[in-house]
Amino acid sequence: MQLFVNDLTVMDFSYLCPERGMVGESWIVDVILSGDLNEESMVLDFGKVKKQLKHLIDEYIDHKLLVPVEHAYSRIEHDEKHDRVTVDFMRPSGKSIHLNCPAEAYAFVYSQNVTMPSVSDYLKDVIATHLPENVAGIELNLRAEVINTPFYHYTHGLKKHDGNCQRIAHGHRSKVVVFENQLESIKWQEYWAKRWCDIYIGSNEDIVDIKETLFSSLYSDPSLHHVFAYESSQGRFELAIPKVESEMIATDTTVECLAQFMADEHKRMNSNSSFKVLAFEGVGKGAIAFA
């Protein structure tokens, strides 16, 4: 007997990619459980599937940075005493990425690349240890939202957030809708899809001198990187990321601030027009701004 739940949850996270750098993603999760019926004549109660499995997925993937452990670029150092991990992703041509964060900010995927199959295998191993004896198998279908208009991938961190959004490297795959003078503009949506293709969006106030981090001895030309650090309730987060793969803004990087940033940018470029921007944060949620 099989039990299925579609749209169980959405995982918002980022991962390290040799070619693209730090990539923000939003994947929808469908699940199928196989097994015998229990004493309640069920494979597993739907309420438990939705609550327990969603909790596990959120705990092990959501709002984390996924690191491909077996890739040649990955260098990982665990500080067990302080429960911290340093990750150096040694991409060439000045595009290396460096992090020093609490251990809970990462998920370590034992493969050469972070893909839907490798993440599915990682999650199935985690979930299998928490299932009752009558459940013999689990299938996960990870999929991206079907978006027929332009979209972008971005990564950020929200130091003022009480929850997991404070992690400095988590992200989203996001749709954007722009109206100019009340007419939807594919041209401007394509503009943002290109400008924010695999981008890290940072706040100016989080920039620090590299000497304040653990990264000062890692590379000889820090001018190629933006260096961020901040303290939040989960601990200290540090990140060095290539400037060519970043966008700096003067405010926090909440979706509300990003929507207003985009609207203001349009107004700056086209002062005679009015603009309305719907900036999504992953799937089915976001903010609206006007300029």
PDB file of all heavy atoms in Angstrom, residues 120-140:
ATOM      1  N   SER A 120      17.518  14.456  -2.548  1.00  0.00           N
ATOM      2  CA  SER A 120      16.487  13.468  -2.230  1.00  0.00           C
ATOM      3  C   SER A 120      17.087  12.291  -1.463  1.00  0.00           C
ATOM      4  O   SER A 120      16.521  11.833  -0.458  1.00  0.00           O
ATOM      5  CB  SER A 120      15.822  12.982  -3.519  1.00  0.00           C
ATOM      6  OG  SER A 120      14.854  11.990  -3.244  1.00  0.00           O
ATOM      7  N   ASP A 121      18.243  11.802  -1.907  1.00  0.00           N
ATOM      8  CA  ASP A 121      18.907  10.699  -1.198  1.00  0.00           C
ATOM      9  C   ASP A 121      19.288  11.118   0.221  1.00  0.00           C
ATOM     10  O   ASP A 121      19.129  10.344   1.175  1.00  0.00           O
ATOM     11  CB  ASP A 121      20.156  10.257  -1.965  1.00  0.00           C
ATOM     12  CG  ASP A 121      19.825   9.531  -3.261  1.00  0.00           C
ATOM     13  OD1 ASP A 121      18.664   9.076  -3.415  1.00  0.00           O
ATOM     14  OD2 ASP A 121      20.722   9.423  -4.117  1.00  0.00           O
ATOM     15  N   TYR A 122      19.795  12.321   0.356  1.00  0.00           N
ATOM     16  CA  TYR A 122      20.172  12.841   1.678  1.00  0.00           C
ATOM     17  C   TYR A 122      18.956  12.864   2.607  1.00  0.00           C
ATOM     18  O   TYR A 122      19.024  12.406   3.762  1.00  0.00           O
ATOM     19  CB  TYR A 122      20.750  14.241   1.507  1.00  0.00           C
ATOM     20  CG  TYR A 122      20.962  15.016   2.783  1.00  0.00           C
ATOM     21  CD1 TYR A 122      22.107  14.849   3.555  1.00  0.00           C
ATOM     22  CD2 TYR A 122      20.028  15.955   3.214  1.00  0.00           C
ATOM     23  CE1 TYR A 122      22.316  15.579   4.722  1.00  0.00           C
ATOM     24  CE2 TYR A 122      20.223  16.686   4.377  1.00  0.00           C
ATOM     25  CZ  TYR A 122      21.361  16.495   5.126  1.00  0.00           C
ATOM     26  OH  TYR A 122      21.552  17.216   6.275  1.00  0.00           O
ATOM     27  N   LEU A 123      17.848  13.369   2.107  1.00  0.00           N
ATOM     28  CA  LEU A 123      16.641  13.472   2.935  1.00  0.00           C
ATOM     29  C   LEU A 123      16.043  12.108   3.255  1.00  0.00           C
ATOM     30  O   LEU A 123      15.568  11.874   4.370  1.00  0.00           O
ATOM     31  CB  LEU A 123      15.598  14.339   2.226  1.00  0.00           C
ATOM     32  CG  LEU A 123      15.723  15.842   2.417  1.00  0.00           C
ATOM     33  CD1 LEU A 123      14.692  16.560   1.556  1.00  0.00           C
ATOM     34  CD2 LEU A 123      15.555  16.223   3.881  1.00  0.00           C
ATOM     35  N   LYS A 124      16.065  11.201   2.294  1.00  0.00           N
ATOM     36  CA  LYS A 124      15.500   9.864   2.541  1.00  0.00           C
ATOM     37  C   LYS A 124      16.265   9.149   3.648  1.00  0.00           C
ATOM     38  O   LYS A 124      15.661   8.475   4.483  1.00  0.00           O
ATOM     39  CB  LYS A 124      15.515   9.037   1.248  1.00  0.00           C
ATOM     40  CG  LYS A 124      14.402   9.412   0.284  1.00  0.00           C
ATOM     41  CD  LYS A 124      14.250   8.438  -0.854  1.00  0.00           C
ATOM     42  CE  LYS A 124      15.384   8.516  -1.832  1.00  0.00           C
ATOM     43  NZ  LYS A 124      15.154   7.677  -3.036  1.00  0.00           N
ATOM     44  N   ASP A 125      17.578   9.318   3.682  1.00  0.00           N
ATOM     45  CA  ASP A 125      18.375   8.714   4.752  1.00  0.00           C
ATOM     46  C   ASP A 125      17.994   9.294   6.112  1.00  0.00           C
ATOM     47  O   ASP A 125      17.928   8.576   7.114  1.00  0.00           O
ATOM     48  CB  ASP A 125      19.870   8.933   4.492  1.00  0.00           C
ATOM     49  CG  ASP A 125      20.388   8.103   3.335  1.00  0.00           C
ATOM     50  OD1 ASP A 125      19.711   7.127   2.959  1.00  0.00           O
ATOM     51  OD2 ASP A 125      21.465   8.438   2.807  1.00  0.00           O
ATOM     52  N   VAL A 126      17.743  10.609   6.146  1.00  0.00           N
ATOM     53  CA  VAL A 126      17.349  11.262   7.401  1.00  0.00           C
ATOM     54  C   VAL A 126      15.974  10.789   7.854  1.00  0.00           C
ATOM     55  O   VAL A 126      15.764  10.389   9.005  1.00  0.00           O
ATOM     56  CB  VAL A 126      17.357  12.792   7.229  1.00  0.00           C
ATOM     57  CG1 VAL A 126      16.692  13.468   8.422  1.00  0.00           C
ATOM     58  CG2 VAL A 126      18.775  13.304   7.051  1.00  0.00           C
ATOM     59  N   ILE A 127      15.025  10.806   6.933  1.00  0.00           N
ATOM     60  CA  ILE A 127      13.627  10.498   7.284  1.00  0.00           C
ATOM     61  C   ILE A 127      13.450   9.035   7.656  1.00  0.00           C
ATOM     62  O   ILE A 127      12.657   8.693   8.542  1.00  0.00           O
ATOM     63  CB  ILE A 127      12.704  10.890   6.114  1.00  0.00           C
ATOM     64  CG1 ILE A 127      12.711  12.424   5.943  1.00  0.00           C
ATOM     65  CG2 ILE A 127      11.285  10.388   6.342  1.00  0.00           C
ATOM     66  CD1 ILE A 127      11.986  12.898   4.694  1.00  0.00           C
ATOM     67  N   ALA A 128      14.188   8.146   6.983  1.00  0.00           N
ATOM     68  CA  ALA A 128      14.003   6.705   7.196  1.00  0.00           C
ATOM     69  C   ALA A 128      14.188   6.303   8.658  1.00  0.00           C
ATOM     70  O   ALA A 128      13.522   5.382   9.144  1.00  0.00           O
ATOM     71  CB  ALA A 128      14.963   5.925   6.310  1.00  0.00           C
ATOM     72  N   THR A 129      15.061   6.984   9.362  1.00  0.00           N
ATOM     73  CA  THR A 129      15.329   6.631  10.765  1.00  0.00           C
ATOM     74  C   THR A 129      14.218   7.088  11.707  1.00  0.00           C
ATOM     75  O   THR A 129      14.218   6.726  12.877  1.00  0.00           O
ATOM     76  CB  THR A 129      16.664   7.246  11.226  1.00  0.00           C
ATOM     77  OG1 THR A 129      16.572   8.678  11.165  1.00  0.00           O
ATOM     78  CG2 THR A 129      17.798   6.781  10.346  1.00  0.00           C
ATOM     79  N   HIS A 130      13.260   7.854  11.196  1.00  0.00           N
ATOM     80  CA  HIS A 130      12.194   8.387  12.042  1.00  0.00           C
ATOM     81  C   HIS A 130      10.824   7.798  11.703  1.00  0.00           C
ATOM     82  O   HIS A 130       9.821   8.228  12.265  1.00  0.00           O
ATOM     83  CB  HIS A 130      12.120   9.917  11.890  1.00  0.00           C
ATOM     84  CG  HIS A 130      13.315  10.640  12.432  1.00  0.00           C
ATOM     85  ND1 HIS A 130      14.495  10.752  11.728  1.00  0.00           N
ATOM     86  CD2 HIS A 130      13.516  11.291  13.605  1.00  0.00           C
ATOM     87  CE1 HIS A 130      15.368  11.450  12.434  1.00  0.00           C
ATOM     88  NE2 HIS A 130      14.804  11.783  13.568  1.00  0.00           N
ATOM     89  N   LEU A 131      10.791   6.815  10.799  1.00  0.00           N
ATOM     90  CA  LEU A 131       9.508   6.250  10.383  1.00  0.00           C
ATOM     91  C   LEU A 131       9.153   5.025  11.221  1.00  0.00           C
ATOM     92  O   LEU A 131      10.043   4.296  11.676  1.00  0.00           O
ATOM     93  CB  LEU A 131       9.572   5.858   8.903  1.00  0.00           C
ATOM     94  CG  LEU A 131       9.709   7.013   7.910  1.00  0.00           C
ATOM     95  CD1 LEU A 131       9.916   6.470   6.503  1.00  0.00           C
ATOM     96  CD2 LEU A 131       8.494   7.933   7.962  1.00  0.00           C
ATOM     97  N   PRO A 132       7.855   4.748  11.430  1.00  0.00           N
ATOM     98  CA  PRO A 132       7.449   3.549  12.170  1.00  0.00           C
ATOM     99  C   PRO A 132       7.788   2.273  11.393  1.00  0.00           C
ATOM    100  O   PRO A 132       8.044   2.309  10.174  1.00  0.00           O
ATOM    101  CB  PRO A 132       5.937   3.721  12.312  1.00  0.00           C
ATOM    102  CG  PRO A 132       5.537   4.681  11.239  1.00  0.00           C
ATOM    103  CD  PRO A 132       6.709   5.587  11.028  1.00  0.00           C
ATOM    104  N   GLU A 133       7.769   1.135  12.077  1.00  0.00           N
ATOM    105  CA  GLU A 133       8.230  -0.126  11.488  1.00  0.00           C
ATOM    106  C   GLU A 133       7.402  -0.568  10.293  1.00  0.00           C
ATOM    107  O   GLU A 133       7.912  -1.247   9.398  1.00  0.00           O
ATOM    108  CB  GLU A 133       8.215  -1.227  12.555  1.00  0.00           C
ATOM    109  CG  GLU A 133       9.265  -1.033  13.648  1.00  0.00           C
ATOM    110  CD  GLU A 133       9.268  -2.180  14.636  1.00  0.00           C
ATOM    111  OE1 GLU A 133       8.452  -3.115  14.454  1.00  0.00           O
ATOM    112  OE2 GLU A 133      10.077  -2.167  15.585  1.00  0.00           O
ATOM    113  N   ASN A 134       6.121  -0.222  10.266  1.00  0.00           N
ATOM    114  CA  ASN A 134       5.276  -0.693   9.163  1.00  0.00           C
ATOM    115  C   ASN A 134       5.548   0.041   7.854  1.00  0.00           C
ATOM    116  O   ASN A 134       5.116  -0.409   6.786  1.00  0.00           O
ATOM    117  CB  ASN A 134       3.793  -0.546   9.523  1.00  0.00           C
ATOM    118  CG  ASN A 134       3.354   0.902   9.642  1.00  0.00           C
ATOM    119  OD1 ASN A 134       3.837   1.628  10.513  1.00  0.00           O
ATOM    120  ND2 ASN A 134       2.433   1.321   8.785  1.00  0.00           N
ATOM    121  N   VAL A 135       6.265   1.169   7.921  1.00  0.00           N
ATOM    122  CA  VAL A 135       6.589   1.926   6.701  1.00  0.00           C
ATOM    123  C   VAL A 135       7.904   1.391   6.145  1.00  0.00           C
ATOM    124  O   VAL A 135       8.966   1.544   6.742  1.00  0.00           O
ATOM    125  CB  VAL A 135       6.694   3.432   6.991  1.00  0.00           C
ATOM    126  CG1 VAL A 135       7.066   4.180   5.708  1.00  0.00           C
ATOM    127  CG2 VAL A 135       5.374   3.963   7.541  1.00  0.00           C
ATOM    128  N   ALA A 136       7.825   0.757   4.968  1.00  0.00           N
ATOM    129  CA  ALA A 136       8.983   0.068   4.412  1.00  0.00           C
ATOM    130  C   ALA A 136       9.792   0.919   3.447  1.00  0.00           C
ATOM    131  O   ALA A 136      10.968   0.640   3.198  1.00  0.00           O
ATOM    132  CB  ALA A 136       8.520  -1.205   3.695  1.00  0.00           C
ATOM    133  N   GLY A 137       9.179   1.939   2.879  1.00  0.00           N
ATOM    134  CA  GLY A 137       9.912   2.732   1.895  1.00  0.00           C
ATOM    135  C   GLY A 137       9.367   4.138   1.768  1.00  0.00           C
ATOM    136  O   GLY A 137       8.225   4.417   2.135  1.00  0.00           O
ATOM    137  N   ILE A 138      10.202   5.025   1.248  1.00  0.00           N
ATOM    138  CA  ILE A 138       9.811   6.412   1.039  1.00  0.00           C
ATOM    139  C   ILE A 138      10.362   6.897  -0.292  1.00  0.00           C
ATOM    140  O   ILE A 138      11.498   6.589  -0.656  1.00  0.00           O
ATOM    141  CB  ILE A 138      10.289   7.320   2.193  1.00  0.00           C
ATOM    142  CG1 ILE A 138       9.870   8.775   1.946  1.00  0.00           C
ATOM    143  CG2 ILE A 138      11.799   7.218   2.400  1.00  0.00           C
ATOM    144  CD1 ILE A 138      10.100   9.687   3.132  1.00  0.00           C
ATOM    145  N   GLU A 139       9.535   7.606  -1.029  1.00  0.00           N
ATOM    146  CA  GLU A 139       9.960   8.265  -2.266  1.00  0.00           C
ATOM    147  C   GLU A 139       9.716   9.760  -2.110  1.00  0.00           C
ATOM    148  O   GLU A 139       8.674  10.180  -1.602  1.00  0.00           O
ATOM    149  CB  GLU A 139       9.156   7.755  -3.470  1.00  0.00           C
ATOM    150  CG  GLU A 139       9.328   6.285  -3.774  1.00  0.00           C
ATOM    151  CD  GLU A 139       8.433   5.838  -4.920  1.00  0.00           C
ATOM    152  OE1 GLU A 139       8.210   6.657  -5.846  1.00  0.00           O
ATOM    153  OE2 GLU A 139       7.931   4.709  -4.870  1.00  0.00           O
ATOM    154  N   LEU A 140      10.690  10.547  -2.529  1.00  0.00           N
ATOM    155  CA  LEU A 140      10.553  11.997  -2.500  1.00  0.00           C
ATOM    156  C   LEU A 140      10.635  12.524  -3.924  1.00  0.00           C
ATOM    157  O   LEU A 140      11.540  12.156  -4.682  1.00  0.00           O
ATOM    158  CB  LEU A 140      11.651  12.641  -1.652  1.00  0.00           C
ATOM    159  CG  LEU A 140      11.634  12.336  -0.164  1.00  0.00           C
ATOM    160  CD1 LEU A 140      12.864  12.961   0.499  1.00  0.00           C
ATOM    161  CD2 LEU A 140      10.366  12.858   0.500  1.00  0.00           C
TER     162      LEU A 140
END
